[in-house]
Structure formats: structure tokens, C-alpha cells
Amino acid sequence: MSSIYVDETSGSDTTGTGSQEAPYQTLGLAVYSQPSASYLIRKDAQGEYAEPTQSALKKAKKTAEGIEKKRKKQLELEERERQAKGDEKEKREKLLEESKKIVLTEDESLPKATKSKLLDLGKYRTQRVRVFGWVHRLRQQKDIIFIVLRDGTGYLQAVLSGRVAQTYSALTLTLESSVELVGTLQEVPEGKTAPGGHELVVDYWSVVGAAPGGDDAFTNRLNEKSDPSIQADLRHLVLRGETASSVLRLRANMLTAFRSALTSHNLLEVTPPCLVQTQVEGGATLFKLDYYGQPAFLTQSSQLYLETCLPSLGDVFCVQESFRAENSHTRRHLSEYTHLEAELAFINFDDLMNHIEDIICKTVDTLLADPISAGLIKQLNPKFEPPTRPFMRMSYVDAIAWLNEHKIQHPAEDEQGNVIKVDEKGNPTTDGSGTVLMVDHKVGDDIAEAAERLMTDEIGKPIFLHGFPAELKAFYMKKVATQPGYEGPVFTESCDLLMPNVGEIVGGSMRIPDQEELLAAYKREGIDPEPYYWFTDQRKYGTCEHGGYGLGVERFLAWLANRYTVRECSLYPRWPSRATP
């Protein structure tokens, strides 16, 4: 008979087999595993194997007996658990079978139930009501079932007890099933809380559309820990959550407040086309498509069309989708976004910035004055404070100086726009190795998003950044020769409104009012003026000083609701590689 080996230092009771190559660690387990064998044991890997003493063997046998007792006890416990589960399963199956015999019918002798949305239930307390919605939360407690119902307008706590909680539908009810509930609406007892301050005591109900359980249950497909890519694929289910739906509800209220602010300034809403044959912000960011054999694009901005409305409709605005074909994956960029744009006639640059500031503040004031939208803001962004007026105004030249004073640099680029990398001695490399060369900002640089946000977050309040160099801006922006006290490139009467934690939310400018200057701008940018004849005509038939702006709705909402990314602020966000669902 071969011996069983035990090495108290390097052996293992988990993976050991008792061979010399894989010894056990304890003699007790060796005796338990192979009780009739002979044993060889050593204290450490350098020692010699020897037979164990009689006292050690006796102790090991007691250890083996203890292991066997534990094993039997565990087997007995597992058997009891199996039996209990079997009994529970049998009991559950019997209960379900019995429940199928219970058929609910609405008691016609009770007062007629009034159909209502959850939002309007407050006026029906003590009365019998009929509501429809989805099971948002579900809790079973003995013979009582608690449901939190959701219908898109609000939430309602409902209680099922007695016979209505004993039906097959009640015992198999799942989250996100759609149901009809009928019962008496009662104010919750003092000290208790529930949505709206009331709950429904159900006397009749039915399942309208059952949701699956098991592996396909709602919480198995989606939960708070789901990967962002899964959440994007299941956006249609994410929308059912309290946070996502609150963001979209606030968005709706926000757009209403914007329209109220704009119309109070006598701006008229118009609806420009999304399909265009002219560019606004540059050809590199256009989505091109075939339009009945002609080239066309998805619009980058409705600005040019809005300008054509000024002579006939006066100051105008639109809330329209815009599209940018930038391969950008930052948290503040979308390929399709909602663009709130406005154009105003017979104004100057100060008038434009004052108008933007007033619209922003009036919109926020309107939202905070309404209990529903104010509640949504408090829920999503408890620390929100309305911006104070007047907004800070900082010229582009002063911003460059501020960035350099605060040691905020940017990556150096070559003439082709490639980031420059250098070796340990500071010499440029050509093989992609090395570290990025960081340099100070200079007038003429396009201030990058990262630097802009660092500055905005440091200052901590809204900033009108204005007076950008012409070469950084669109062809239609009005130019000024110099800024006071500064000799350099040609600047524009343009501005960006920057908000802490988000960055730019509004971009605006005065527009070129002179026809010849506009034609020269087309030529400088290499744009054929012929397709823009209708835009140029605005300068031919009675021009005027005018300006306008575009506000990114998702960015404004991200600031208002303190969302990490604008993707949370769109119903079905679109970004590079994402066009589903």
C-alpha cells in the first residue's frame, strides 16, 4: 500500500491528493480522506518525511471524526432546505392553482368610479376612482400587496388586500406590468408618506398587459449598475426611471418657459426647414444626402432662414433640430441636438448680450416660480442657485491673458494641426513617442474646450466671452477693426455665454449688414455666392444692423439639472456610431 503524504508547510487541504507531489497540509484531513492508509508527515519542505507519532495519529482521528460530523450535519441541513423548498414550491403551486378559481368582478352597487390621471387625483379624495398605469414598485407583505403606480403624470401608492390580493394575477404580478386599479382614494394617516399624500384602497383591478418575470424580468435586463452601452441600447426602458423621466419633464417645462420669455420680448416663433443646400458653420461638419438627385444637407443652423424673416415678421425665433458631423465623443457634444435660435433687427452688440442675459434669467425665474418645475430642479439639482445679474463680460484678449496668468496651457500644434510631441530634451519627435508639448495661449489661438471650462469653473459664474478673431468665426459675423488698446487681428462682434460645469451654452454675434462686405466674405471662405442669393438679398433690399444667437437646449438643461453629460438631456441621443434605438 502506498503512503499518503502530509506537508504542514507547503501542502494543501484544498488541492492536495496525498501524493508526494501534491501532499495534504493536515494529518486530520489525510485520515478523513483515506482512513486505512499509512501516512508520512513532515514539518517543512526541507525536512524528511516520517511516520506520525501515535499521539498525533490519535489526534488526527478525532479531527477526522469532527469533519465527518460536520459533513453529516451539512447534508442534513441541505436536505431540510431541499425539503422546505419543495414544500414551499408545492404550497406555492397549490396556492396558485386555488387562486385561478377566484374571479374578480366590479361591484356595481358601489359608487361609480371616476376615471382620472394620477396628476389630478387630489380633488377626488374620499371618492372612488379608476386609474391606469404601470407597476413602478411592487412589495408583497403577507396577504397585502403594495403597488406604486406610474402613468407618466405622477405616482400613486395602492393597497391590495383580502380577495383582490389573492387572485392568480395578484400572486404573479411583475414590475412594469400595465394595470387598471379601481378603489377609494384616502388620505394617508398622519406620520405616513405617499406620493400626493394619498393612497388607493383597491376593490377591483385587472392586468392590462403583463410584463415577463424570470430571466427576462425588467430588473434583470436593466438596473443602476448596467454598463453605459447597455443603458444606451435600452434607452426606451431607461426612460421609465424616475431620474430620466424627470429630466425630460423638466426639459418640456424649460422649453415652455423659454417660449414665454421670448414672446414677452415680442419674438415670433417660426419653423425653418431641416433639409438645406447651403452651409452655415463650415462644410466639414455637414451630413450630406441625395435629395432627388441633388446634393443636400441636414442643417447646422436655421440662422440664415431666420434672418430672412426680419423684414416681414420682425424679431423671430425657432426651436429646431440641428446636425453636426463632428466625430466628437465629449460629454457635451451630440450629432443631433435641439437648437433654440433667434434673430433681432435694429440692435447693437450690447443690445444682443443684454437680450440673451434677460432671456436666460426670465426662463430660470419662470421655472423656479412654478411649483412643478421648481420641484424637478430641486430633485435633480438640490444646490441650484439662479444666476445673478449682470453676467460677467470678458473679451477674448482678456481671456488669453487670464489663462496665461493662471498657468493654463494648451497642446502645441504644427501647421497641419497635428499635436507636437517632444523627447526628454524638448526636441520634437516624429514617431509618435514623447510627451505632448504644452505652450501658453496667444492671441489668435482658438481657446480649447478644456481651457475654457477650467476658466469658467474657476470664476464660478456666467461669463460672456466676446470679441473673437474673425478667422476663428463664421463668414457672416460682423467685424470690428481692433479692440480698444489692442493692435492685432480683425475681431468680430461675437460672444459665447459660458456656464460653470458645462461651458458654452450660447453662441451669438452681430451679422454683416453690408452686401459688398458679405460678398467679400463668401470669396474669402471659398463659398459660391449663387446658392446664397436669397440670403444676400437681405442686404440688397433694405439692410439693417441685426444679430442673433443659438442656444443648445441639451447643454442648458445639463446646467440646470446638473447632468454629467448632454446625452442624459435628449430623448434618444445621437452621437458618432450611435443612431439606435
Side-chain angles (χ1 to χ4, degrees):
M1 180 184 296
S2 59
S3 296
I4 300 301
Y5 289 86
V6 177
D7 187 323
E8 294 182 345
T9 302
S10 60
S12 172
D13 285 348
T14 304
T15 59
T17 60
S19 67
Q20 191 167 357
E21 294 76 18
Y24 290 117
Q25 187 177 32
T26 64
L27 184 59
L29 188 68
V31 172
Y32 170 76
S33 300
Q34 303 188 47
S36 301
S38 60
Y39 310 99
L40 292 174
I41 188 169
R42 65 180 179 183
K43 297 292 184 183
D44 56 68
Q46 283 72 40
E48 296 290 332
Y49 280 105
E51 290 184 359
T53 63
Q54 287 300 314
S55 61
L57 196 57
K58 185 177 180 181
K59 184 178 179 181
K61 288 180 179 179
K62 287 185 177 180
T63 301
E65 290 172 0
I67 293 173
E68 177 63 16
K69 286 180 180 178
K70 286 182 180 179
R71 186 187 72 83
K72 288 181 177 179
K73 188 174 181 180
Q74 181 63 30
L75 289 174
E76 290 173 1
L77 180 61
E78 290 174 358
E79 180 59 31
R80 284 200 298 271
E81 287 179 350
R82 276 195 296 271
Q83 185 67 40
K85 286 181 180 179
D87 292 346
E88 183 65 30
K89 183 179 179 181
E90 185 178 342
K91 182 179 177 183
R92 170 76 175 173
E93 290 175 350
K94 185 177 180 181
L95 185 63
L96 288 174
E97 205 57 40
E98 289 294 320
S99 70
K100 293 177 182 178
K101 300 175 183 177
I102 301 175
V103 178
L104 290 183
T105 55
E106 190 170 354
D107 190 342
E108 297 297 333
S109 67
L110 294 174
K112 183 176 175 60
T114 303
K115 183 180 178 181
S116 174
K117 293 288 188 180
L118 302 189
L119 180 68
D120 300 325
L121 280 177
K123 58 189 175 185
Y124 296 117
R125 286 185 182 176
T126 72
Q127 299 180 42
R128 197 161 173 266
V129 295
R130 184 185 310 274
V131 293
F132 295 83
W134 289 264
V135 178
H136 188 64
R137 293 196 184 92
L138 177 65
R139 179 166 59 93
Q140 294 187 333
Q141 182 178 311
K142 294 185 179 179
D143 296 326
I144 302 176
I145 297 174
F146 293 93
I147 293 173
V148 173
L149 192 71
R150 180 190 75 241
D151 75 345
T153 71
Y155 298 88
L156 170 68
Q157 180 172 290
V159 183
L160 283 66
S161 62
R163 196 163 182 267
V164 294
Q166 296 167 2
T167 65
Y168 183 80
S169 294
L171 298 178
T172 58
L173 187 60
T174 53
L175 286 174
E176 294 303 325
S177 293
S178 52
V179 295
E180 172 192 14
L181 302 180
V182 184
T184 303
L185 191 67
Q186 296 182 349
E187 187 174 357
V188 293
E190 188 175 349
K192 302 289 184 180
T193 59
H198 45 236
E199 66 181 8
L200 186 69
V201 179
V202 176
D203 59 59
Y204 171 78
W205 74 287
S206 66
V207 174
V208 176
D215 292 340
D216 208 26
F218 186 86
T219 51
N220 285 335
R221 292 194 67 192
L222 181 71
N223 56 62
E224 292 178 354
K225 296 180 180 179
S226 295
D227 185 89
S229 63
I230 293 175
Q231 293 191 34
D233 288 338
L234 300 180
R235 178 68 176 167
H236 60 294
L237 299 182
V238 171
L239 296 177
R240 300 186 180 208
E242 291 176 31
T243 298
S245 59
S246 293
V247 170
L248 294 176
R249 194 174 300 282
L250 178 58
R251 176 186 168 116
N253 291 342
M254 185 186 79
L255 288 173
T256 299
F258 264 123
R259 285 186 165 97
S260 174
L262 288 159
T263 53
S264 75
H265 279 257
N266 297 313
L267 272 76
L268 183 74
E269 184 171 5
V270 294
T271 52
C274 281
L275 281 171
V276 300
Q277 291 187 301
T278 50
Q279 67 185 51
V280 181
E281 300 292 348
T285 62
L286 285 166
F287 285 109
K288 189 174 182 179
L289 55 98
D290 182 275
Y291 185 69
Y292 301 107
Q294 303 177 58
F297 312 98
L298 294 176
T299 187
Q300 304 159 312
S301 167
S302 298
Q303 176 209 318
L304 306 190
Y305 293 104
L306 293 180
E307 287 191 45
T308 68
C309 297
L310 295 177
S312 57
L313 301 176
D315 299 342
V316 291
F317 77 95
C318 71
V319 181
Q320 180 69 280
E321 299 307 293
S322 284
F323 303 84
R324 298 290 173 94
E326 297 174 272
N327 191 19
S328 178
H329 294 262
T330 77
R331 59 191 176 107
R332 70 173 200 166
H333 282 91
L334 291 169
S335 298
E336 176 187 1
Y337 66 98
T338 304
H339 211 174
L340 189 156
E341 298 181 87
E343 289 293 320
L344 301 94
F346 301 105
I347 62 169
N348 60 35
F349 191 37
D350 280 334
D351 293 333
L352 177 64
M353 288 190 284
N354 290 337
H355 167 86
I356 294 170
E357 180 178 309
D358 196 55
I359 293 299
I360 296 293
C361 292
K362 276 189 175 179
T363 298
V364 172
D365 290 345
T366 299
L367 289 169
L368 294 178
D370 179 76
I372 293 177
S373 54
L376 290 168
I377 293 172
K378 186 174 182 180
Q379 172 195 339
L380 296 165
N381 188 5
K383 296 181 180 180
F384 178 78
E385 292 289 339
T388 56
R389 304 179 68 172
F391 291 175
M392 180 179 179
R393 298 187 182 185
M394 176 187 285
S395 73
Y396 164 85
V397 172
D398 289 341
I400 294 292
W402 191 97
L403 291 169
N404 290 334
E405 287 170 9
H406 290 78
K407 310 298 181 186
I408 298 175
Q409 297 183 308
H410 70 102
E413 295 182 351
D414 60 23
E415 293 180 357
Q416 288 73 42
N418 301 311
V419 173
I420 299 173
K421 290 188 176 182
V422 294
D423 59 23
E424 294 178 354
K425 296 180 180 180
N427 298 316
T429 61
T430 57
D431 59 359
S433 63
T435 57
V436 174
L437 176 63
M438 302 297 291
V439 295
D440 289 343
H441 289 80
K442 65 181 186 301
V443 173
D445 287 341
D446 190 0
I447 301 175
E449 175 191 345
E452 186 179 82
R453 287 194 59 179
L454 283 171
M455 181 180 72
T456 309
D457 291 349
E458 174 68 24
I459 294 172
K461 56 184 178 181
I463 305 170
F464 272 119
L465 191 58
H466 62 86
F468 295 92
E471 60 266 25
L472 300 180
K473 290 298 181 178
F475 72 91
Y476 53 76
M477 293 188 179
K478 184 180 179 182
K479 297 165 184 64
V480 288
T482 62
Q483 288 196 3
Y486 183 84
E487 296 294 331
V490 174
F491 295 94
T492 55
E493 287 191 331
S494 58
C495 64
D496 288 347
L497 178 58
L498 313 178
M499 286 294 192
N501 301 320
V502 178
E504 178 193 346
I505 62 168
V506 179
S509 77
M510 296 298 291
R511 319 309 193 189
I512 294 174
D514 181 74
Q515 180 177 345
E516 293 305 316
E517 186 181 346
L518 181 60
L519 290 171
Y522 291 145
K523 185 176 181 180
R524 186 176 59 254
E525 295 294 325
I527 296 174
D528 179 5
E530 180 57 32
Y532 292 84
Y533 71 93
W534 51 274
F535 180 66
T536 309
D537 273 356
Q538 304 310 306
R539 280 76 180 165
K540 182 177 180 180
Y541 294 94
T543 191
C544 71
E545 294 287 338
H546 64 288
Y549 58 92
L551 176 146
V553 167
E554 288 82 7
R555 289 189 185 181
F556 188 89
L557 183 55
W559 167 71
L560 190 65
N562 193 30
R563 296 299 95 190
Y564 176 75
T565 170
V566 293
R567 296 175 186 180
E568 296 181 58
C569 301
S570 173
L571 182 65
Y572 285 99
R574 300 295 188 240
W575 66 89
S577 78
R578 169 63 63 176
T580 56

